[in-house]
Amino acid sequence: MYNFGRLISSFAFSMTFIIFFFCLLFPVHGRWHNHAKKHKQHSHHHDHFTISQPPSPSPSSEPAGSPPEDNGGPSSSSINSTSIFDVRHFGAIGDGTADDTAAFKMAWDTACQRNDDDNNDDYGVILVPYGFSFMIQSTIFTGPCKNGVVFQVDGTLMAPDGPDAWPKGYSAHQWLVFYRVYNMSLQGNGLIDGRGQKWWDLPCKPHKGKTMTGPCDSPIAIRFFMSSELRVEGVRIKDSPQFHFRFDNCKDVYIDSLHITSPALSPNTDGIHIENTNGVQIFNSIVANGDDCVSIGSGSFNVEIRNITCGPGHGISIGSLGNHNSRACVSNITVRDSIIKVSDNGVRIKTWQGGFGTVRGVSFNNINMDNVRNPIIIDQFYCLNKGCLNQTSAVVVSDISYIDIKGTYDIRSPPMHFGCSDSMPCMNLTLANIELFPSRGDILLDPFCWNAYGNLQTLTIPPISCLLETSSRSFLESEKDYC
């Protein structure tokens, strides 16, 4: 029995040694990577990435942004750590003063060019962490990238403070540009600060009674150019020197839950401008600024705008179109379920004389007006000064519907204004369930019509009797070749 016991003990010791040696040769990996992949979303509309606060202390300045919230997407613990590119790890300081441009460029290039052979659906996350303010110069982030990229803004991005701080030789037309990117998301709970006040105060700016003299270039805050499969969601942006967002030659753009603000007198600070762009959805956002909340330029089609709170500002506009005798084509635009308040315009179509092309297939539906000047307006005599000459050519406006437009209007202007070209009348205007009352007093102002053809599906308040009933479509047929 004694020898048998020693044999058992010797066997157990040998097995223990073998197991220990095996572990040294083949380290055991945890299930973390599998857990991450289990949460991947195999769709180009990926979820938010919620990033935990950085372990290092933030600067003594006021923390920027808001703490990241749980938005239902994977947390940082469920994302492969090799996919997160914190800009601080590339040398960014984040004190609001240091120039962090090079660090952002390096983080972008690393995330953009990483080659993930194991998982081509993975997104590289460029993290702008909560509690830090990063000042960066005018920069172009260039694609295409090998995989999708998420630009996660949880802290603050800051532009240089005005024209004097703008480096000589840098473009004064734009601040942050995303060029030729595909499958990218700009998102987060942080703030993008354009620091536009000193730009607005240039002598050439028209507000505050200043004369139009001197150089007047001002940068667009965020510009996407020749890009597709874009998602912009959740971020706050304020005080852009010019447009806050601009999309040029893009397709498949999804915008949700933005908060855009600038003073009511800040010049040319459109919230979102799109040009030669299609497949656009703009949802659930708040815009208060000094110009159009959303402006739709030439070459844009298949655009849906829903649940927008707009104002103060200049309303939601198509145009201006046809400037300098140019061709303009806009079609299939829907604006619905929105609020426009304390604005110079409500829903507007504006074209210059002398242009050509068409605006057609536009629907304005279920929009509430609160003390709005020009709640419904078509202006085919748009002009920024008194020196515009009458011209015979014009962009044709047709197939426009206004359904369930209700609320109050500023009595300085009529509640409906259809000012159409002498040579190219507006055609197929449809109105139903229009109820617009003066914000002060009891007198209903008469709508204004000039060369406008359409039909009333219901009675309107105020009554509109100036629409013409029929029109030859020969004008529209002659414009078909242009668009």
Side-chain angles (χ1 to χ4, degrees):
M1 295 292 294
Y2 173 75
N3 292 337
F4 182 75
R6 292 186 62 184
L7 180 63
I8 293 297
S9 299
S10 176
F11 177 79
F13 177 81
S14 299
M15 290 301 296
T16 301
F17 179 81
I18 290 172
I19 292 171
F20 175 76
F21 183 74
F22 182 85
C23 290
L24 288 177
L25 288 177
F26 306 100
V28 178
H29 290 276
R31 299 176 59 192
W32 192 83
H33 288 288
N34 290 333
H35 177 70
K37 291 182 180 180
K38 190 183 301 181
H39 286 79
K40 287 294 295 179
Q41 301 293 321
H42 298 286
S43 167
H44 83 270
H45 283 167
H46 46 279
D47 292 337
H48 286 194
F49 292 103
T50 305
I51 310 297
S52 58
Q53 296 186 30
S56 57
S58 62
S60 59
S61 59
E62 187 71 15
S66 302
E69 300 174 355
D70 184 1
N71 296 308
S75 66
S76 60
S77 63
S78 66
I79 305 174
N80 191 323
S81 61
T82 61
S83 299
I84 301 177
F85 303 92
D86 188 326
V87 294
R88 294 172 303 162
H89 298 163
F90 295 86
I93 304 301
D95 62 358
T97 302
D99 184 352
D100 291 322
T101 309
F104 273 75
K105 285 285 290 180
M106 192 180 303
W108 171 269
D109 291 341
T110 305
C112 183
Q113 296 305 318
R114 70 189 185 88
N115 192 2
D116 190 349
D117 294 330
D118 295 332
N119 189 351
N120 291 328
D121 291 331
D122 195 14
Y123 294 93
V125 181
I126 299 169
L127 174 60
V128 181
Y130 166 73
F132 295 82
S133 297
F134 301 92
M135 195 282 291
I136 55 180
Q137 308 285 358
S138 175
T139 304
I140 299 177
F141 298 103
T142 303
C145 298
K146 293 183 177 180
N147 294 283
V149 175
V150 174
F151 208 108
Q152 180 78 26
V153 180
D154 289 329
T156 295
L157 294 179
M158 301 168 59
D161 190 16
D164 292 339
W166 206 262
K168 300 297 183 280
Y170 279 59
S171 171
H173 296 287
Q174 52 205 16
W175 175 34
L176 302 180
V177 180
F178 297 93
Y179 173 59
R180 288 189 181 276
V181 297
Y182 167 79
N183 196 11
M184 177 197 159
S185 176
L186 172 63
Q187 62 185 43
N189 299 287
L191 173 67
I192 300 172
D193 186 355
R195 303 170 87 181
Q197 184 64 57
K198 292 179 181 178
W199 295 94
W200 307 329
D201 289 340
L202 288 173
C204 63
K205 297 298 181 180
H207 73 315
K208 298 183 179 180
K210 294 188 180 345
T211 58
M212 298 286 286
T213 60
C216 210
D217 287 338
S218 296
I220 297 163
I222 309 290
R223 184 186 183 199
F224 290 89
F225 182 47
M226 297 181 68
S227 300
S228 62
E229 298 291 333
L230 304 174
R231 189 179 184 100
V232 182
E233 192 167 8
V235 296
R236 293 177 297 133
I237 181 170
K238 72 171 188 175
D239 296 346
S240 175
Q242 204 194 115
F243 297 173
H244 289 78
F245 283 95
R246 178 169 177 138
F247 296 84
D248 287 287
N249 295 91
C250 296
K251 63 181 296 186
D252 298 331
V253 179
Y254 179 84
I255 299 171
D256 197 351
S257 303
L258 295 191
H259 194 160
I260 301 172
T261 57
S262 63
L265 291 179
S266 56
N268 209 25
T269 52
D270 295 39
I272 301 169
H273 178 78
I274 64 174
E275 192 97 10
N276 294 306
T277 293
N278 67 85
V280 180
Q281 296 174 301
I282 304 173
F283 298 155
N284 311 314
S285 296
I286 298 172
V287 184
N289 59 346
D291 212 300
D292 296 328
C293 293
V294 181
S295 55
I296 300 170
S298 180
S300 299
F301 59 93
N302 295 343
V303 177
E304 181 182 5
I305 300 170
R306 176 158 47 88
N307 195 25
I308 301 297
T309 299
C310 167
H314 293 183
I316 297 174
S317 294
I318 296 174
S320 61
L321 304 174
N323 194 13
H324 304 301
N325 305 106
S326 61
R327 169 180 175 267
C329 301
V330 174
S331 64
N332 195 19
I333 311 296
T334 299
V335 182
R336 61 176 299 127
D337 306 331
S338 295
I339 298 171
I340 301 177
K341 59 183 182 180
V342 196
S343 294
D344 285 354
N345 302 284
V347 290
R348 174 169 59 159
I349 299 173
K350 50 182 177 176
T351 71
W352 295 78
Q353 294 188 77
F356 60 98
T358 61
V359 176
R360 69 167 77 193
V362 180
S363 172
F364 300 108
N365 194 339
N366 190 29
I367 299 174
N368 182 264
M369 304 287 179
D370 180 5
N371 192 21
V372 173
R373 190 174 182 179
N374 301 308
I376 296 173
I377 177 171
I378 296 176
D379 180 7
Q380 292 209 268
F381 300 90
Y382 184 73
C383 179
L384 294 179
N385 55 60
K386 297 180 180 180
C388 297
L389 300 176
N390 288 332
Q391 301 187 52
T392 56
S393 176
V395 176
V396 170
V397 177
S398 71
D399 304 317
I400 316 295
S401 67
Y402 303 89
I403 312 296
D404 291 315
I405 312 294
K406 300 179 181 181
T408 60
Y409 62 91
D410 186 317
I411 59 174
R412 290 177 295 171
S413 299
M416 290 174 268
H417 178 110
F418 301 109
C420 302
S421 167
D422 292 335
S423 57
M424 298 288 184
C426 301
M427 292 175 289
N428 287 354
L429 307 182
T430 301
L431 285 75
N433 299 324
I434 308 298
E435 298 179 5
L436 295 169
F437 296 91
S439 58
R440 291 186 292 110
D442 299 321
I443 300 176
L444 295 175
L445 299 180
D446 291 331
F448 172 84
C449 302
W450 181 262
N451 212 17
Y453 292 79
N455 67 89
L456 304 179
Q457 294 185 344
T458 67
L459 296 177
T460 65
I461 302 175
I464 179 169
S465 58
C466 57
L467 277 183
L468 304 174
E469 292 184 359
T470 59
S471 175
S472 169
R473 296 189 63 85
S474 60
F475 294 106
L476 184 58
E477 298 297 328
S478 67
E479 295 296 308
K480 279 187 174 180
D481 293 337
Y482 292 137
C483 293

